[in-house]
Amino acid sequence: MEFPKFKYHPDPISTGAIKESDEACECCGKSRGYVYTSNLYTEEDIEFICPWCIADGSAAKKFDGMFSDDHPLQEAGVSEEIISEVCERTPGYNSWQQEVWQAHCGIACEFHGDAEKKELNELEGEALETFLRAEMIKPDVWQNILEHYEKGGNPAVYKFKCTDCSEVIYTMDFT
Ligand SMILES: [Zn+2]
Ligand SMILES: [Zn+2]
């Protein structure tokens, strides 16, 4: 069966949200070769869900849960339709704190996982200023963070991309 497409999380294997595994999905009961590794916010104790049960909404429905917090998208004024696709039919992502799904142009962004060190090093001008302002980081502190930055490390920098204008948005997270 073809791997499901997630509009707002285009490559969940490379971001680490989905990994190869022979565990059986607790929603459909099948072992399909892949399981989800990040959060499902539900009252039930669920360990293994396959990407197909994420994509068709059956896992969110069956366990009355969400894969990502919907509040940041609600506050950004994103439509209920898109919020439901991101939070109920899209893999969430692993973060140190509560994840904050980004919005731009009034719609949800695509999640692209941990930023590459190279692209952060190349960040400059207005894009860098916007990022530092949003994260309330002083430029000299940023230089220090950058020096020690590693993908998947602490602090983490996540990359989002607007699905409309293609603007790239970085967010930072640490323990
Ligand atoms: Zn399943
Ligand atoms: Zn945009």
Side-chain angles (χ1 to χ4, degrees), residues 44-111:
E44 300 191 48
D45 189 17
I46 304 299
E47 209 173 341
F48 300 111
I49 293 172
C50 76
W52 288 269
C53 288
I54 295 176
D56 67 8
S58 58
K61 197 169 173 201
K62 182 166 181 176
F63 304 120
D64 191 23
M66 282 199 285
F67 300 105
S68 294
D69 181 18
D70 59 346
H71 283 110
L73 293 173
Q74 303 270 16
E75 275 179 18
V78 172
S79 72
E80 287 299 328
E81 199 184 318
I82 294 176
I83 291 177
S84 140
E85 178 162 357
V86 171
C87 299
E88 296 165 21
R89 300 194 299 278
T90 300
Y93 67 92
N94 297 300
S95 58
W96 295 107
Q97 313 280 339
Q98 176 95 32
E99 77 293 328
V100 180
W101 204 285
Q102 298 295 304
H104 199 257
C105 295
I107 52 177
C109 294
E110 289 173 350
F111 178 66

Side-chain angles (χ1 to χ4, degrees), residues 19-55:
K19 65 168 186 185
E20 286 189 34
S21 165
D22 293 330
E23 296 289 347
C25 169
E26 289 167 68
C27 183
C28 63
K30 293 179 204 154
S31 165
R32 306 177 92 166
Y34 294 95
V35 293
Y36 176 54
T37 68
S38 191
N39 303 308
L40 170 60
Y41 299 106
T42 168
E43 310 230 312
E44 300 191 48
D45 189 17
I46 304 299
E47 209 173 341
F48 300 111
I49 293 172
C50 76
W52 288 269
C53 288
I54 295 176

